[in-house]
Amino acid sequence: MGEFKVHRVRFFDYMPSGIRALAFNGDTERMAVARMDGSVEIFHCSDRFFQEKIIPGREQCGIEGLSWVGERLFSAGLNGGITEYDLTNQKVKYTIDAYGGPIWTITGNQQGTHLAVGCEDGTVKLFEVNEDKIQFERNLDRQKSRIVSLSWHTSGSKIAAGMMDMIQIFNVETGHSIHRMLADRGVGTSRSKECVVWSVVYLSDGTIVSGDSVGMVKLWDDQTGTLIKSHNVTKCDVLALSVSQNEDSLVAGTSEGTVVQFQFVSMVLGKDDKEWVRTRTFKNHTHDIRAVAEITTAVVSGGMDAQLVVKPLLDKIEVRSAASALRKIHFPHRRLVFCARNSGLMLFQYPGHLELWRLGESEGKGIPGSSLFVKRNPEKLLHLKVKGEDHIRCSAVSPCGEWIVYSTASSLRLYRLHCDNNNVSITKISKLPKVLSSANQLCFSSDSSHLFSASTQSSVHIVSLSQSGCKFVGTLKPKSGSHQAIHLLAASEDGEWLASANSDHEVHIYNLQTRKAHCTVPVYSSAVTAMGIHPTTNCLFMMYADQQMCEYSIEQKQYTDWSRTVQRKGLHRLWMERDTPCLNVMFNPQNPSHVILHDTYMLCIIDQSLPLPDDKTQFYNQLTLKSLTEDQRKSHSHAFKVCKTFKDILCVELISDQSLVVVERPLEDVATQLPAPIKQKKFAT
Amino acid sequence: KVYSTRTEEWLHSLQGHTNQVTGIALNPANHLQVYSCSADGTVKLWDFIDGILIKTFIIGYPLFAIYVSEKHEGVLFLHVSMATDSKNECFQLVAVHLPKSAEQEVEAKEMSVVSSHISSNPSCTAFGRGGEYIAFARRLQLNVYFFRKQKTCSFSLKATDKKGAQNAFTCITCHPTDDCIATGHEDGKIRLWRNFIHKKEYTYSTQHWHHNAVNTLCFTPEGTHLLSGGIESVLVQWQYGAGNRKEFLPRLGGSILHISASSDGQLFCTSHSDNKITVIESSFKVCGVLQGLVKGDAVLTDLMIDPRSKALVLNGKPGHLQFYSLLRDKHLYNLDIVQQEYIYEAGLDQFEVAKAAFDIKGSWLATVEERGQKSSDLEFFLKLWAFDERTQSFVLNTTITAAHTDRIISMCFSSSEETTMLVTIAEDGQFKAWCQGADADTQQNQNFWSCDFVGSYHNLKPTNCSFSADSSLLAVSFQEVITIWSPETWEMLTTLCQPPGIIRDLCFGRLSCSKYLLGTTTRNLLCCWNLLTCALEWSSSVEVSKLQPDPLSENVAAFSYQSKHTDLFVFKPSEPRPLFTNKNVCSEKVHRAVFVPREELLNNCDESSQWLNRSQLYFLTQNMDLLTFSTATEEDRMLSSSKQLVIDDSVAVTPFYLLLGKHRQQQQKLNTQSHPAADKPQQPQGSVTIKELLHTPAHVLPAASVLCSMFVNSLLISNTGVQQDCLREEMDSEKEEEDSEEEMEACDSQQELRVQGSVDEVMLKLSKAQERELKRVRKTDFSWMADLIDSKP
């Protein structure tokens, strides 16, 4: 498998942000996730929950609610504004102020005509959704306390609002309140505290379900405004509720980190009188669950502990497969760490700043598996704060380590790094070409002479870099296809080819000499998660979200024989069942047949010269191979060599002196930085 | 057995099965009738108010449980063991159609197998709403059989999951009106299953409170609450449909084995592993306790007799001593020795009462409690309890924390009336004498116990100690050597030695034989020394496991364990010839025995039973069977007393009470399965044949009188008219002798109680001859009983 010196990097203090809101779009099977830092992410539910799009947030922009209207996504936050997102270009389209103080909730009706927001001042404001904008229509009757939660009836004529100590039902036509339902405060000391109705759900049969801060899930009748049933779910708060699309199942997320499922089942078999019965409890979170969503086959929940948990509902799944396993998404499916291959520098991308580190050095050699003595500690060279309120969307460092570039939603900045001995200074390149106003993805050529910046309409701008400054060279445009934003760029070692992948699963290859589109890789149903161009053969190696892999010969414009063999024979079951996508593709210059891949849990080297494993062979065979003799080894070895020494990997990069940089972010460290969870008595402690 | 819920009294018992009764169920068609099934392969229908056997159905296979449902009238569901392979336990659930015929004994042939994958645990099967379906669980699989569709749905759970849950089913019950099945699991979870008509879309919710396996579940008749119980001995009441809302009733005693609710939901009752039934009101208050002889894990203390109450004293609940009246066959009270909360969890090392001793008047009780018998760090306390006249119970007087540096092996009180002295011997090679004396510092007239003398002998480990009858001598055995001390001056008088073998048991003779000292060694030797000559009087080569002197006579009983059975010898120390021998008393080793003084002396002139005149011998075997020897006339008294009870209790017994009685009865019966303590009255009569008869008459607890009372009951039923007719009874008094003889023969003939490890089968084998005898007895007139009743105030 080859021996490498490994820099095990654990000083990247990346903190994923807590999840605040979830919105599921059943038509497109997309899940929108809003985080505490204001970023919005789009996950593709049927493509193994691949994180397709990331819209970075801003400072002081707390999103409180998300809502899909058709294929348009709206959010509302405590800054009082309603925001629509441009999902093609992955940026904010516009923000309008609702003039009602902080907004606690936003929801769209099923017809797709109106949005309702609940404001701090006690008003429910209706907005009409137009072609390209939204327009304020009117206020419903103003209440005394803030509106914390809202839910439309499917008919669109009634709306239920949860507020302090009560739930109100409004007639949308007249704007008047039909019913006022009082939620009980807790007993004992909590009696003096008001009861917050954190979440309401209006079912089509006229039942209103509410979850409140007393820990009750209550069912109300909207005709009479009376309580039908109440379930005591927790001692703490019930923060989120979600109902399945056919309204036979309901999930409630609590601040204890549990998700409680309720099901609408008939009490006597074969009869129609059904009741909501509490059934299962899932506990996958350590902290508050701020948002839950029940999608067709799974319950998705997210909360303060910043992980998105997809818990499959086994009774809804026909065939059990890797796609239907419990999934916990901790880290973004994008790269946050970049390496300057030739100079041993690393760039860490945080939401609001960048950090540049120099790798440490160690003494000579050791036996495999041992740790080397660190001669020089890694040092932090640079802490670069972002100008303005926007968060960083993408960044890059050139292989020579001389250039640093980052882009926010509104601006792009390029810096030149001067490094003489221990003095580090940077100069900002002031005169940037106008096309470089913002970028979706950034990439340097391998000789650091050019910067590629992915821009709108799936186009890529080329800028040449020199000592004096930078010069716009040209724009690469795909011949046809979608205008989705590019999320991956890969330049070839010889500077001849550039590959770009966009959210519509298209991969375009450009010839940099002629600055023309060379060809397009056939579109596959799954998204590309990582790709790289082989330095010697110029083949494009692509990893997909469903764990398939492809090798495409750029020169011959077709899949290579190896790739066809892989497709024909299929990959090993254990490989397909991994639940995190591969995030980087590298090539070992000393052994051209080796391809190095990694995901969150493992590092893998694929030896293209060895036979592929089939389902009968042992997949993780390192230990068995060790026990065999040299001759036997040959017959037992196969192409996949997996190393599970490292955990919670954010990035693996091969640098020029044949050493690997492995950036780990242990989940335990993340957990220690989270606020303390609600104290719970544990049995036998 | 039928009990009244209000008075907690035992009404009467239904008797007729020739093997262990394994299940009982109310007849759904007539709530005054009850079905019972037994391992003898019969189902009997009883009228339980009057105690009449109505019908007997012969199935032919050993039956292990019975279920009935309203919907299936005339059909019984039975657990049948398939006799194909005795090792491989294979149980079938069969439906038996009862033939309609007027005969007393009917053979039921019509059988159809419902399922052949049934757990051996009878609580793993339950009927659903109105008998629409039957649910049964086996290991990890839950099956639901719908009668209408003739279809079985099965659901299985994974054996364990990542969190270490053990999902095997332990019990099951169905909601009375909703389609909801509650199942209990090995790890203490309770699951409520719904929607189980679908193969795929079934759903369940999980509740977890019990930390160990859930033993039993029961819905209240309205279905508003679910009751559960387990080893924690806490009855948990879950509100149905309201998730976590639950109520607890803790500290009920032993672990809960069964729960049942009365049909109007007013009363629940629980049966416990320590041979107890608790009746609980729906307001969650205990309103009645039926306590049998408490069965602990092991009896560490000797069997003792409280000199005041004449009650048998032994280990009861963990950390308690129980006082059990043998005469009335009733549990009197528990004395909390440890005075700490007992934690119901397996594998926890907790304080146990290890030793106890009474002084001769019964005013002092000494106890030793210890913890850490298995591990090296032993903790123990010596406690002395004074009898309080006012409260009529023992009050803690002195606690000695470090009486010795190592475990106390044995202790005894001096037997003199004037001064009380306690001698303890311990593994540290010392024996200590403790005396009662006022503490000089406190100057209170309270009495404390303090150490008076410490003695040792060549640093040898002592093995036993004993006071002579007049307390003038103390014998302490050190390995092979017996030392004799004078307790007044604490000088060593002499040593006796008879190697080889370590002295195991030691006792002085009583009354006229008080000059003799008896000792047993590990090398199969029974020695008798004459203390006047300090020489060995005689010795005999017997392997004696227990030596027990009778305090009221010269007699000494020795149990000898040889080649897998125990023999009993009764002898006087003055002569090496046994007074009475009984070969093969029981198959286990006897390690505890006691003579219980009689209230009245018996005037039995028969030579072989004379030794029983003054006191009765009870002994406890390794399997915790409590057995006794008794005489003929005694049995008569028992009979009469039990009859008295029956008559007294013929107070207004409403069907409702009897219904409850039935529940309790079921539990009682099941209870006895797990409770191997047994008690058998038996009498040696003046005939030579008695020795053959005296095999192992044993029978199920709590019944020194059960068997007799059963007879009485059967007699009462057939002769109800006789009871009233006192005149006639008096006339027939001559007949008494004959009858009693007959009766005794019947109950003397060989009856065996066999306790078998896991299945706990209690088999009462009555030979055919006996049955015939029984019938004859039934036919005869029982007027002699009335006499006894009259004579007894």
Side-chain angles (χ1 to χ4, degrees), chain A residues 136-329:
Chain A
F136 175 71
E137 200 173 87
R138 62 204 168 84
N139 281 337
L140 303 183
D141 281 359
R142 186 168 169 175
Q143 304 299 315
K144 283 208 180 77
S145 63
R146 67 170 74 117
I147 312 286
V148 181
S149 50
L150 283 173
S151 178
W152 289 87
H153 188 251
T154 32
S155 67
S157 61
K158 280 181 278 187
I159 192 164
M163 51 194 89
M164 296 302 177
D165 283 334
M166 62 173 159
I167 301 161
Q168 295 245 17
I169 306 171
F170 293 100
N171 186 332
V172 178
E173 306 283 296
T174 60
H176 297 313
S177 161
I178 309 171
H179 283 295
R180 235 169 72 115
M181 299 173 290
L182 292 178
D184 283 341
R185 292 181 177 188
V187 284
T189 50
S190 55
R191 182 150 279 276
S192 53
K193 278 197 282 181
E194 51 191 359
C195 165
V196 187
V197 181
W198 286 117
S199 182
V200 285
V201 168
Y202 209 146
L203 303 179
S204 55
D205 64 354
T207 309
I208 294 167
V209 189
S210 71
D212 56 34
S213 61
V214 184
M216 306 289 270
V217 170
K218 291 182 171 171
L219 296 152
W220 309 83
D221 182 25
D222 74 332
Q223 291 296 316
T224 56
T226 49
L227 183 68
I228 304 169
K229 199 160 188 192
S230 70
H231 294 271
N232 190 0
V233 168
T234 169
K235 289 189 183 105
C236 326
D237 299 22
V238 176
L239 294 175
L241 287 173
S242 171
V243 73
S244 67
Q245 274 175 326
N246 53 0
E247 295 194 350
D248 66 350
S249 169
L250 181 88
V251 284
T254 69
S255 53
E256 285 173 331
T258 53
V259 175
V260 181
Q261 193 190 11
F262 293 86
Q263 277 175 297
F264 199 50
V265 293
S266 51
M267 297 309 277
V268 177
L269 290 177
K271 290 197 179 162
D272 269 348
D273 48 340
K274 292 191 170 183
E275 261 183 63
W276 284 100
V277 180
R278 178 183 169 164
T279 54
R280 278 165 283 198
T281 305
F282 314 117
K283 177 140 177 59
N284 293 308
H285 291 272
T286 53
H287 289 70
D288 291 20
I289 291 178
R290 300 300 298 267
V292 286
E294 186 161 352
I295 62 173
T296 41
T297 59
V299 174
V300 184
S301 55
M304 293 292 287
D305 52 0
Q307 54 177 347
L308 188 72
V309 176
V310 183
K311 168 76 194 174
L313 295 172
L314 293 178
D315 51 340
K316 301 267 173 64
I317 294 165
E318 298 300 320
V319 193
R320 294 197 65 177
S321 66
S324 65
L326 174 73
R327 199 178 286 274
K328 289 187 178 184
I329 301 165

Side-chain angles (χ1 to χ4, degrees), chain B residues 352-369:
Chain B
E352 274 285 357
V353 183
K355 296 277 178 291
F358 281 101
D359 79 339
I360 198 138
K361 283 182 292 184
S363 52
W364 290 100
L365 166 68
T367 60
V368 175
E369 64 205 54

Side-chain angles (χ1 to χ4, degrees), chain B residues 5 13-14 64 72 82 135 176 180 336 424 498 530 547 587 600 624 627 646 737 744 781:
Chain B
T5 48
S13 61
L14 312 168
F64 290 97
H72 308 272
M82 293 323 285
C180 173
D336 189 355
T424 56
Q498 182 66 34
N530 189 332
L547 203 62
S587 56
E600 304 157 42
M624 304 272 303
L627 304 158
V646 176
E737 288 300 324
M744 290 323 137
D781 199 345

Side-chain angles (χ1 to χ4, degrees), chain A residues 441-630:
Chain A
Q441 187 59 263
L442 292 162
C443 174
F444 286 96
S445 67
S446 59
D447 56 357
S448 306
S449 62
H450 288 84
L451 170 68
F452 308 110
S453 153
S455 168
T456 53
Q457 311 250 308
S458 283
S459 60
V460 181
H461 301 298
I462 309 171
V463 178
S464 75
L465 306 168
S466 61
Q467 295 290 334
S468 53
C470 61
K471 211 178 100 196
F472 175 68
V473 178
T475 303
L476 302 172
K477 276 190 179 167
K479 276 180 191 156
S480 61
S482 74
H483 302 302
Q484 291 281 352
I486 287 169
H487 69 273
L488 280 174
L489 284 173
S492 72
E493 197 78 6
D494 55 9
E496 206 163 326
W497 309 101
L498 179 76
S500 75
N502 70 13
S503 318
D504 265 350
H505 311 169
E506 289 174 354
V507 179
H508 299 287
I509 299 167
Y510 303 99
N511 188 329
L512 292 177
Q513 248 72 46
T514 59
R515 291 181 202 133
K516 286 268 167 63
H518 177 69
C519 64
T520 303
V521 177
V523 175
Y524 183 63
S525 61
S526 186
V528 180
T529 64
M531 60 183 184
I533 297 172
H534 199 283
T536 50
T537 60
N538 271 344
C539 289
L540 180 66
F541 197 93
M542 289 165 291
M543 290 301 305
Y544 292 99
D546 63 354
Q547 311 296 358
Q548 288 290 351
M549 56 182 75
C550 277
E551 197 186 25
Y552 187 81
S553 167
I554 294 173
E555 277 144 21
Q556 291 164 11
K557 297 192 189 178
Q558 63 176 10
Y559 287 115
T560 61
D561 289 342
W562 186 83
S563 177
R564 286 174 202 277
T565 322
V566 170
Q567 294 309 317
R568 201 172 55 243
K569 287 188 81 173
L571 289 158
H572 196 273
R573 186 176 49 83
L574 288 174
W575 176 264
M576 300 297 283
E577 279 176 4
R578 293 175 312 118
D579 71 338
T580 51
C582 283
L583 293 182
N584 201 2
V585 176
M586 292 151 286
F587 303 95
N588 187 353
Q590 300 200 330
N591 194 339
S593 66
H594 281 189
V595 182
I596 305 169
L597 305 169
H598 84 88
D599 67 6
T600 311
Y601 301 108
M602 59 106 211
L603 173 72
C604 174
I605 296 180
I606 297 174
D607 191 337
Q608 288 177 314
S609 61
L610 287 174
L612 289 166
D614 56 16
D615 268 355
K616 281 173 213 128
T617 51
Q618 191 190 7
F619 188 65
Y620 301 116
N621 61 353
Q622 254 76 31
L623 275 177
T624 353
L625 286 184
K626 243 182 199 171
S627 63
L628 294 173
T629 61
E630 202 71 30

